[in-house]
Amino acid sequence: MPGNVDKRYVLSFTTGGLLAREAAVLAPIFNEQHDWAKVRDLAVSENLLQARTRSTSVRRVRATIERLSALSDTELGILEELTASERSHLMWAAACRFYKLVGEFAEEVLRERFLTLAGTVSYDDYDSFYRAKALWHDELGAVSDQSYKKLRQVLFRMMVEAGLVNDHGGIEPTLVTARVGELLSSQNPSDIRFFPTRETH
């Protein structure tokens, strides 16, 4: 049913980009505290993400925690020891899990265009995808033009930071390491579906 509240998209991914560096700062604190509210309060009060203003700190901490909350305890436990590339891949998966719109774009557009040898993904591809989704989701149609452009910009920035797309929109085949691949494949269905790769598990 169009506009069904239970299926509304979360559209709060307009802060920062992939936030992989920020995740590496906050995940170890959660592993000690096991309380996201405490992590948030500590991160903001001590400006752990080194934001220039308190309001920026609040937004960045909130966005990072949203994504980290989509990870399992096992994933949170090893996040700090991952390489930069591995951490970026895991945080891309986290964004895809938490923000359904991002996950659907990754699976239905990014991966599909890779598998069909399209080679690139563009703003036009996103616009077509978004318009199709908006037919069934009133909240997408209610987004202002400025917010729409920001959502699109941040999504593409995340893909670039994750190494999935280059600055010119060229799709970069992804090689996921064994330990990250194991984490992604433990999901049902496998989170490998969010990546431009021919691997299925």
Side-chain angles (χ1 to χ4, degrees):
M1 175 180 178
N4 189 320
V5 174
D6 293 335
K7 297 182 179 180
R8 289 175 65 87
Y9 286 118
V10 176
L11 302 173
S12 55
F13 54 92
T14 57
T15 297
L18 201 59
L19 300 175
R21 181 192 66 80
E22 291 83 351
V25 173
L26 299 188
I29 300 173
F30 176 79
N31 292 333
E32 293 180 0
Q33 301 288 340
H34 300 287
D35 185 327
W36 286 120
K38 290 181 179 179
V39 174
R40 179 197 62 215
D41 293 344
L42 182 64
V44 172
S45 65
E46 298 192 12
N47 193 23
L48 296 181
L49 300 187
Q50 301 177 345
R52 285 177 291 182
T53 66
R54 178 180 172 81
S55 60
T56 299
S57 176
V58 170
R59 288 195 303 271
R60 191 169 297 166
V61 168
R62 181 175 60 238
T64 305
I65 288 178
E66 281 182 348
R67 299 172 199 191
L68 287 175
S69 70
L71 299 180
S72 68
D73 288 343
T74 299
E75 291 167 333
L76 289 167
I78 72 166
L79 188 70
E80 189 179 16
E81 65 187 59
L82 296 177
T83 66
S85 177
E86 288 175 321
R87 189 179 304 125
S88 293
H89 288 161
L90 190 57
M91 288 306 294
W92 171 250
C96 289
R97 292 177 196 171
F98 191 86
Y99 307 111
K100 185 181 176 185
L101 187 71
V102 175
E104 290 180 356
F105 180 82
E107 182 176 8
E108 298 171 17
V109 182
L110 175 63
R111 181 176 170 87
E112 186 63 23
R113 287 185 65 78
F114 169 76
L115 293 175
T116 57
L117 306 179
T120 62
V121 62
S122 68
Y123 275 13
D124 286 343
D125 297 319
Y126 176 85
D127 294 342
S128 296
F129 163 82
Y130 192 98
R131 284 195 298 269
K133 297 295 180 181
L135 294 175
W136 300 99
H137 290 269
D138 295 343
E139 69 274 20
L140 296 184
V143 169
S144 69
D145 185 57
Q146 181 179 2
S147 294
Y148 174 84
K149 291 178 179 178
K150 183 66 173 178
L151 290 168
R152 184 178 61 185
Q153 176 189 23
V154 171
L155 173 55
F156 275 76
R157 177 179 171 184
M158 285 194 287
M159 291 192 293
V160 170
E161 291 181 358
L164 312 180
V165 174
N166 62 34
D167 290 331
H168 305 291
I171 299 173
E172 301 285 353
T174 302
L175 294 176
V176 177
T177 63
R179 61 178 172 176
V180 171
E182 184 176 351
L183 294 171
L184 299 178
S185 298
S186 68
Q187 300 292 313
N188 186 21
S190 170
D191 280 355
I192 291 293
R193 72 189 191 278
F194 298 137
F195 293 82
T197 176
R198 295 192 179 280
E199 296 179 30
T200 56
H201 59 273

